[in-house]
Amino acid sequence: MFNLIFSGGLENERRGSIHAGRVFEYTPDDLEKRFKPSGVLDVSGVMSLPTLFMDEGTDDEIAKIGWLTRIERKGTEYELYYSIDADIPRMTNADIYELASDLHMDSFEFHRNHWSIKNVDLFQILYRKRLVRRTSPTVFRLSENPVNSKLVSFMMPFSGNFASVYQDVKATLEADGYQCQRADDMWVHDHIMTDIIELICTSAVVVCDLSGKNPNVFYEAGIAHTLGKEVILITQSHEDVPFDLRPIRYLNYLNNGEGRLKLASEILARVQSLT
């Protein structure tokens, strides 16, 4: 999923604007409801998505990828602050136009200032077309296997206290046709970290349980976010959510029978909206 912003008001590499009336044009209704509930822009939600910045046209205009860092409503305009990813090669509108169908973009969008949200993996499509190259980690190797659209992976401590949480959520998701896995469910490689990376790379959604401030889970959540994965954060205590993650919505739950069933229902609803 990514933001697509066509605007002649992108003044430089850090700041720009777009008319509020153009926000979420060419955006599916379900995504507009999700990121603009009750007509109010979900600022933290859109800021969690990568953003493709473009001027109008289909030729040699420069297309850039980055992240929104701050959004302010000023009258009829949204003031946008952003950072451009310097590690991603610059592309042209012509490059993007060739991928319009894959990116769920209408040809008319290239000739109108607007902001839309597309429910596709921007980086995966660009990587597949060899327009961008993924960063190659030196500590581990990313999997090149395809994403399983029904696979939901769980990053949580291996402690027995979390076994019932996983089993209750797994039962609910699998009853709806999803496949659930934790790293201890699989043994493909000799090193468990390799299996964890494989699982994150091939999952459609990654659930991370921050309960207990487990450093391994924080590390895995960071990897999932960096890879642009859809991540669902859950916790038994608000105090276990670090400052950097608090702007991101998370599910709080009680580790008892009723609490786990409620959590399972909430995760299922969220997974359904993401896949």
Side-chain angles (χ1 to χ4, degrees):
M1 194 176 302
F2 70 98
N3 295 303
L4 171 64
I5 297 179
F6 276 93
S7 177
L10 304 179
E11 303 166 10
N12 50 45
E13 298 284 289
R14 298 182 180 179
R15 183 175 175 179
S17 63
I18 192 164
H19 195 281
R22 302 287 182 91
V23 174
F24 295 165
E25 290 187 353
Y26 298 97
T27 299
D29 290 342
D30 60 323
L31 292 183
E32 181 170 359
K33 290 178 182 177
R34 173 179 164 188
F35 289 99
K36 203 175 183 182
S38 303
V40 179
L41 183 67
D42 178 2
V43 172
S44 62
V46 296
M47 285 175 56
S48 70
L49 304 177
T51 302
L52 177 58
F53 298 95
M54 304 177 69
D55 286 319
E56 291 183 45
T58 58
D59 297 314
D60 58 358
E61 301 84 2
I62 300 299
K64 295 166 283 191
I65 295 176
W67 302 86
L68 293 164
T69 57
R70 193 163 92 241
I71 302 171
E72 296 178 359
R73 178 69 182 264
K74 294 186 176 180
T76 60
E77 301 280 322
Y78 277 106
E79 195 78 18
L80 307 176
Y81 298 82
Y82 47 84
S83 61
I84 302 301
D85 193 327
D87 293 329
I88 297 178
R90 297 296 173 90
M91 296 165 287
T92 66
N93 283 26
D95 294 326
I96 302 300
Y97 190 73
E98 290 184 3
L99 301 175
S101 177
D102 292 329
L103 294 171
H104 295 184
M105 295 171 64
D106 191 291
S107 60
F108 291 105
E109 294 189 66
F110 288 83
H111 305 286
R112 180 173 174 81
N113 277 210
H114 71 284
W115 176 354
S116 64
I117 294 182
K118 305 300 182 183
N119 194 17
V120 293
D121 188 326
L122 173 65
F123 293 114
Q124 185 181 63
I125 291 172
L126 295 179
Y127 176 71
R128 197 167 61 228
K129 298 297 182 179
R130 289 176 168 50
L131 290 180
V132 300
R133 298 183 63 184
R134 289 178 178 168
T135 301
S136 299
T138 58
V139 177
F140 52 77
R141 178 176 297 178
L142 296 176
S143 172
E144 295 186 0
N145 290 323
V147 173
N148 180 345
S149 63
K150 288 294 185 178
L151 178 59
V152 180
S153 61
F154 288 77
M155 305 295 138
M156 53 176 49
F158 292 137
S159 164
N161 295 331
F162 293 89
S164 55
V165 178
Y166 174 57
Q167 291 302 329
D168 286 351
V169 176
K170 178 181 179 182
T172 297
L173 291 178
E174 291 189 343
D176 201 63
Y178 292 95
Q179 178 186 351
C180 299
Q181 266 193 329
R182 293 202 311 181
D184 55 343
D185 288 339
M186 58 189 292
W187 189 349
V188 178
H189 305 92
D190 292 333
H191 197 297
I192 188 170
M193 194 61 211
T194 307
D195 280 342
I196 291 172
I197 298 301
E198 173 79 19
L199 190 52
I200 292 173
C201 287
T202 56
S203 296
V205 179
V206 181
V207 178
C208 297
D209 195 332
L210 308 181
S211 303
K213 298 182 179 179
N214 185 284
N216 294 324
V217 175
F218 288 157
Y219 183 63
E220 292 151 6
I223 292 172
H225 277 144
T226 301
L227 293 179
K229 290 294 178 177
E230 298 289 358
V231 178
I232 300 175
L233 302 177
I234 65 175
T235 182
Q236 295 174 28
S237 172
H238 297 291
E239 297 302 317
D240 289 340
V241 182
F243 177 80
D244 286 351
L245 293 180
R246 286 185 182 176
I248 302 173
R249 290 179 175 174
Y250 56 88
L251 300 175
N252 186 248
Y253 72 95
L254 295 175
N255 192 6
N256 57 35
E258 182 179 353
R260 292 191 298 270
L261 289 178
K262 180 175 181 291
L263 174 67
S265 176
E266 291 175 333
I267 290 179
L268 174 60
R270 183 68 174 139
V271 169
Q272 288 173 332
S273 73
L274 294 173
T275 58

